[in-house]
Amino acid sequence: MAKTRVHQPSRSLAIDSCTIRLTEIFGRATRSILGFFLMMVLCNGVHYLLRPFSQPRITSDTIVGLVVGNFVRKQLDISTIKTLRYIVDFGMVCYMFVLGLEVDPYVLFKAPTRDAKVAYAGLISTLILACSIIPFISYAKSKEISFILSLSTVLSSTASPVLTRLITSLKIGKSDIGRLVIAAGMHSDFISTLLICVGYLFCKCQETRISVMKGFQLGILLLIQAVLTAKVSPVFMNWVNNENPEGKPMKGPHLVLAVAFMAFLCCCPTVFGYNPILSAFLAGTFLPREGRVSRWAIGKINYLLTTVFYPIFFFWMGVESKLTDFEPGQIMTWVRLMLLFAIATIGKVVGTVIAGAILGFHWPESVALGLLLTMKGHFHIYLAIAAKTAGKITTSTSMVMVIVIFFTVVHAPKVVECIIQRARKRTPTHRMALQLLDPSSELKILLCIHGPQNTPAAINIMEISRGTANPGVVVYVTDMIELTDEIASTLVQGEGVDSVTVTHTGVTQMREQVTSAVQSYVDENGEGITLRRMLALSTFNSMAQDICILAEELMGALIILPFHKSQRGDGSLSEGQAAFRYVNRKVLRHAPCSVGILVDRGLGSVEKISRSYVSQNVAVIFIGGKDDREALAYAGRVARHPGVKLSVIRFLVDADAENAARRAGTYRISVAEQEDEMRQDDECFAYFYERHVAGGHVAYVEKHLASSSETYSTLKSLEGQYALIIVGRGGKVNSVLTFGMNDWQQCPELGPIGDILSGSEFSVRTSVLIIHQHNLKGELDGLDDDFSIM
């Protein structure tokens, strides 16, 4: 009996249909993934271009979103736009949940602090101004009082996440005005968002025309959510935190339970029609902020927002903001734009100036506070687009709001720059570098020693550093002592908080021995020397930090540390203590002033340096770079000592060798940077030459060299001629004369020249002082980041 295949054509068509459908799905997914990465690349690229202007990331993201979104919006279908909206809604739920976690709701029940008063003043003044002007301008399609109040509240709010990130990135977060503006911004953001949450409840009742009882029930539900979150969640969160101590990975079941619990709290009011974004904010507000679970949630969600959500959010913003509907030819478009910006800016500034006058602030700082508190962010952009989507406003008005939000952000870096400039004028700063010191001012040196064995060399350093009796030198002789358990048990707490007395017999005897030696020297020969005794008693891990803090408090210009190796009887250097080498390296990285490392190879055993005749020969080697310029500045002090014959040896690069080196590509720095360094070297040396060499007080020798091998040979020829050689550490200078020396250094902290001069192949009778200049351009270019200006 013959068989027939009746359904074969239908089956083939089904397979072809599935293949086509899968191809469409994979094609759409591929385009979406490529588009996402394109947005990331463009956002990062534009942000990099705007970095010199200190613009926050939201500025570049807004520009890229508007351009890319409008460019590709015609290629998107309705389903893609809906999917984007769902993603954005979920992202905003996470955003508002974290925002709620970071605020403290209980500030409402406390006496208003300074930041609260500033926030209240700016918020109220902006609300009053907005409510007085907005009804007369056609922002909405219908003049509803709910829209007027909502827009006024949005204009009076502050995007605290954006503001906090900007203040922190611009390095003024530790200052008094930085702390105040961050706290005021968070307070303003919390109050305004809370008003929106309450206002949404009334708007929901009005729009849906539900009964008063239903609205009352929804309000009771929100109250129950707040009470449940505030009272029950701490018990649950504490249980999870106790079950997952710090330092151990969180258990999966506990993590799932915590996430489910937080999601449940966020979703409860949405069952009855409340907005999920505002519900997430209320849930986050009353959840405990402390604990491992909350920190984990904040960290993970912020990472998700930064890496994934923001590029999608700004792309969606560009898609929804059709530039062709902006209506730039309409005069009312610009009137609405200027008025919104004026209300947001003037309202905040007037409020903060009034609050500042009451609190005693200077008016420029009050104006700066108001300008910074005008900043808007992601939630405000979302509300502007959402109002257009809901049919409340036109696309033109929505675009106006987005542009106003953009301009409330771009001016903030300039405001911070003005704050820093005013702080520099009003706050006395100390630029701790020898080059910047007035030659007629006294030199402050933090002279560190390990014990009595370093005392003779320390005394001779004190002697040659003082130069002439006027202006003299202030020397803080500091003992570097490791804090052991034995010594810690003998510490006695004094009356002050930081007052501690060391009663350990070994430590007290050692310090008395050092004090007796240096005090005897000062009493007999110490004209122009002011002696102070200090102590750096701490573990090796924190000793460098204590030394840096001490130098900063004493406003010292130079820290001199002993080399970690000491000289044996045969002249060679011992292996030394690695812990002190670690301290030296750490001080070099973090010191607030210049640092010198003294390699004592006989300086402590030389005869007394006379002030009536020349008794010691000292040399300074100058190649170039900021460290060598600092060494030359110190040598200028030494040159004034009548018992020291100073010689300056300048190593110059042969012109042909320099060109050859450039052709070989051995320079790692740019030509412009190299020329700037050479210019500074010439200016510094010309000043030194005119002041010291031209008058015959200092000998001058030039060495024209072609390579690092000739540098090594020249250094070897100096063997035994000088009791002390002063050199710069070298920093990042990549000169032909030192090229390749870094590859075989034994002690990189000494630099290439210092390493050679202190090596075993060099003279056992020549001590070396290696000087390193700290980075003069600190976080705020010479201004402490915790400055006070209010």
Side-chain angles (χ1 to χ4, degrees):
M1 184 174 180
K3 296 182 180 180
T4 60
R5 298 180 180 179
V6 178
H7 300 288
Q8 185 64 32
S10 176
R11 183 180 178 186
S12 177
L13 288 173
I15 293 174
D16 291 341
S17 177
C18 290
T19 303
I20 294 172
R21 181 61 178 166
L22 286 174
T23 302
E24 291 178 355
I25 293 173
F26 282 115
R28 182 178 297 178
T30 303
R31 288 193 298 270
S32 300
I33 293 173
L34 291 176
F36 170 74
F37 283 109
L38 176 64
M39 276 295 297
M40 287 189 63
V41 171
L42 290 175
C43 288
N44 288 324
V46 176
H47 178 64
Y48 178 79
L49 294 176
L50 294 179
R51 186 177 295 177
F53 305 99
S54 303
Q55 287 295 326
R57 182 169 287 273
I58 189 175
T59 303
S60 55
D61 290 351
T62 303
I63 295 173
V64 173
L66 285 173
V67 174
V68 176
N70 277 269
F71 182 75
V72 302
R73 68 187 313 272
K74 293 181 180 180
Q75 283 74 39
L76 302 178
D77 53 22
I78 297 177
S79 62
T80 303
I81 295 176
K82 286 184 177 180
T83 303
L84 277 174
R85 179 61 186 266
Y86 294 146
I87 295 173
V88 169
D89 286 343
F90 175 75
M92 287 308 301
V93 168
C94 298
Y95 177 90
M96 295 302 290
F97 178 71
V98 170
L99 178 63
L101 272 177
E102 293 178 340
V103 300
D104 181 14
Y106 300 103
V107 296
L108 296 174
F109 308 104
K110 300 176 183 177
T113 55
R114 288 201 316 170
D115 52 88
K117 293 176 182 178
V118 171
Y120 287 141
L123 194 146
I124 293 172
S125 62
T126 309
L127 270 175
I128 295 174
L129 186 62
C131 291
S132 303
I133 297 177
I134 289 177
F136 302 100
I137 305 297
S138 57
Y139 284 103
K141 294 181 178 179
S142 60
K143 294 185 178 180
E144 299 177 356
I145 188 171
S146 59
F147 176 81
I148 295 172
L149 292 175
S150 299
L151 182 55
S152 301
T153 305
V154 170
L155 290 174
S156 63
S157 66
T158 303
S160 60
V162 179
L163 178 61
T164 302
R165 202 170 294 117
L166 176 72
I167 294 298
T168 304
S169 64
L170 295 180
K171 311 298 184 183
I172 68 167
K174 296 181 181 179
S175 64
D176 57 350
I177 191 172
R179 294 192 300 268
L180 179 63
V181 75
I182 288 174
M186 293 189 68
H187 206 87
S188 177
D189 203 1
F190 170 58
I191 298 298
S192 59
T193 309
L194 194 61
L195 290 175
I196 292 174
C197 293
V198 176
Y200 180 83
L201 178 61
F202 292 98
C203 292
K204 188 71 176 177
C205 296
Q206 180 184 359
E207 290 176 2
T208 57
R209 289 182 171 82
I210 60 177
S211 63
V212 177
M213 183 57 65
K214 290 289 185 180
F216 182 74
Q217 289 176 356
L218 184 56
I220 292 297
L221 182 63
L222 291 175
L223 184 62
I224 292 174
Q225 179 202 31
V227 174
L228 182 68
T229 307
K231 298 299 181 183
V232 177
S233 61
V235 179
F236 176 77
M237 291 295 193
N238 289 335
W239 173 73
V240 176
N241 290 328
N242 293 333
E243 291 293 321
N244 297 271
E246 297 286 351
K248 294 184 179 180
M250 292 191 68
K251 299 175 183 177
H254 293 159
L255 195 57
V256 172
L257 281 175
V259 173
F261 179 72
M262 290 185 287
F264 169 75
L265 293 175
C266 294
C267 294
C268 281
T270 62
V271 178
F272 294 88
Y274 194 72
N275 187 278
I277 295 175
L278 300 180
S279 176
F281 171 77
L282 293 175
T285 299
F286 293 99
L287 276 170
R289 295 182 298 164
E290 305 299 330
R292 190 177 182 187
V293 175
S294 296
R295 292 198 302 271
W296 176 87
I298 292 173
K300 295 298 181 182
I301 293 177
N302 277 332
Y303 178 76
L304 177 69
L305 294 175
T306 305
T307 56
V308 178
F309 173 65
Y310 288 155
I312 299 175
F313 173 81
F314 285 100
F315 175 73
W316 167 79
M317 177 206 67
V319 171
E320 294 288 350
S321 302
K322 191 176 180 181
L323 291 175
T324 54
D325 293 340
F326 177 57
E327 300 177 353
Q330 299 286 336
I331 186 66
M332 286 305 298
T333 300
W334 299 103
V335 171
R336 289 195 297 268
L337 192 152
M338 297 301 296
L339 273 179
L340 280 184
F341 184 76
I343 292 170
T345 305
I346 297 174
K348 284 289 185 183
V349 170
V350 170
T352 52
V353 168
I354 294 173
I358 297 173
L359 296 172
F361 299 160
H362 300 283
W363 72 265
E365 280 69 49
S366 298
V367 173
L369 280 173
L371 292 174
L372 291 174
L373 290 176
T374 60
M375 189 176 296
K376 307 295 184 286
H378 305 84
F379 182 53
H380 306 91
I381 294 175
Y382 176 83
L383 291 177
I385 304 298
K388 186 264 299 184
T389 306
K392 297 293 184 181
I393 58 177
T394 63
T395 304
S396 177
T397 304
S398 176
M399 282 291 301
V400 164
M401 293 179 178
V402 171
I403 294 172
V404 168
I405 292 168
F406 175 80
F407 281 109
T408 60
V409 176
V410 293
H411 71 275
K414 192 65 179 179
V415 175
V416 174
E417 182 182 341
C418 294
I419 291 173
I420 294 174
Q421 289 176 354
R422 281 184 55 79
R424 285 202 189 102
K425 293 178 181 178
R426 296 182 51 199
T427 306
T429 57
H430 183 60
R431 301 293 293 275
M432 292 177 283
L434 297 175
Q435 292 182 60
L436 301 178
L437 285 181
D438 185 353
S440 61
S441 62
E442 64 181 6
L443 174 64
K444 293 183 179 180
I445 299 177
L446 194 69
L447 186 55
C448 300
I449 60 174
H450 297 160
Q453 69 274 14
N454 302 131
T455 306
I459 290 175
N460 283 329
I461 285 293
M462 291 167 58
E463 175 64 38
I464 66 172
S465 299
R466 68 172 169 176
T468 58
N470 187 17
V473 62
V474 180
V475 182
Y476 300 92
V477 179
T478 306
D479 299 296
M480 302 170 61
I481 301 175
E482 180 190 9
L483 179 61
T484 61
D485 294 337
E486 180 184 356
I487 297 176
S489 63
T490 63
L491 299 179
V492 177
Q493 184 69 41
E495 295 181 359
V497 177
D498 299 325
S499 176
V500 177
T501 303
V502 183
T503 60
H504 188 272
T505 305
V507 174
T508 55
Q509 289 180 352
M510 185 273 288
R511 297 202 73 212
E512 289 174 358
Q513 184 178 351
V514 172
T515 302
S516 176
V518 294
Q519 191 62 54
S520 297
Y521 156 75
V522 172
D523 292 341
E524 295 178 7
N525 310 283
E527 183 183 3
I529 297 179
T530 303
L531 178 66
R532 299 285 186 270
R533 291 284 282 125
M534 308 301 294
L535 174 63
L537 177 63
S538 56
T539 62
F540 284 124
N541 285 331
S542 59
M543 186 176 291
Q545 181 181 4
D546 290 348
I547 292 174
C548 293
I549 292 174
L550 192 61
E552 188 170 6
E553 291 177 348
L554 299 173
M555 301 180 72
L558 177 64
I559 300 173
I560 297 182
L561 302 166
F563 191 44
H564 69 280
K565 297 181 181 181
S566 57
Q567 192 172 29
R568 297 191 183 100
D570 60 355
S572 62
L573 295 176
S574 65
E575 291 300 322
Q577 193 168 355
F580 280 119
R581 183 183 188 185
Y582 166 78
V583 173
N584 289 357
R585 287 179 164 183
K586 205 169 180 181
V587 172
L588 283 169
R589 287 196 301 269
H590 303 292
C593 61
S594 297
V595 180
I597 297 181
L598 177 62
V599 183
D600 180 17
R601 307 193 75 172
L603 183 64
S605 60
V606 299
E607 61 183 19
K608 176 182 175 182
I609 301 177
S610 173
R611 296 188 63 84
S612 57
Y613 61 92
V614 175
S615 59
Q616 295 298 329
N617 291 325
V618 177
V620 56
I621 296 175
F622 186 86
I623 298 177
K626 66 184 184 70
D627 291 346
D628 280 25
R629 294 194 294 269
E630 193 74 352
L632 197 65
Y634 176 75
R637 299 268 178 171
V638 176
R640 301 183 197 173
H641 195 287
V644 172
K645 178 60 177 178
L646 180 69
S647 299
V648 178
I649 306 173
R650 187 174 189 183
F651 290 6
L652 296 173
V653 181
D654 181 77
D656 295 335
E658 185 177 13
N659 294 332
R662 287 178 180 174
R663 288 194 298 270
T666 57
Y667 282 93
R668 299 175 190 170
I669 59 177
S670 65
V671 175
E673 186 178 354
Q674 176 189 339
E675 291 177 350
D676 182 63
E677 285 289 326
M678 294 175 62
R679 178 186 58 78
Q680 293 185 56
D681 291 341
D682 292 339
E683 290 178 357
C684 177
F685 198 86
Y687 175 80
F688 182 90
Y689 189 95
E690 181 181 356
R691 187 175 179 85
H692 300 288
V693 179
H697 303 293
V698 174
Y700 175 54
V701 179
E702 283 186 1
K703 300 287 186 179
H704 293 267
L705 309 175
S707 63
S708 57
S709 60
E710 293 189 11
T711 301
Y712 180 80
S713 302
T714 305
L715 293 175
K716 288 288 292 181
S717 67
L718 303 178
E719 187 173 356
Q721 298 183 31
Y722 304 98
L724 176 68
I725 297 180
I726 304 168
V727 298
R729 181 170 177 244
K732 297 181 180 179
V733 175
N734 192 11
S735 171
V736 177
L737 305 184
T738 58
F739 182 75
M741 289 183 175
N742 295 332
D743 300 336
W744 40 271
Q745 287 183 90
Q746 294 182 356
C747 297
E749 65 270 24
L750 302 181
I753 304 299
D755 185 73
I756 292 174
L757 295 177
S758 61
S760 57
E761 298 179 359
F762 201 73
S763 172
V764 299
R765 300 189 305 274
T766 300
S767 300
V768 187
L769 178 62
I770 301 96
I771 294 181
H772 168 73
Q773 183 189 80
H774 77 301
N775 188 6
L776 292 179
K777 292 186 178 180
E779 291 185 338
L780 295 175
D781 192 14
L783 181 68
D784 295 334
D785 56 2
D786 58 348
F787 64 87
S788 178
I789 192 175
M790 298 300 294

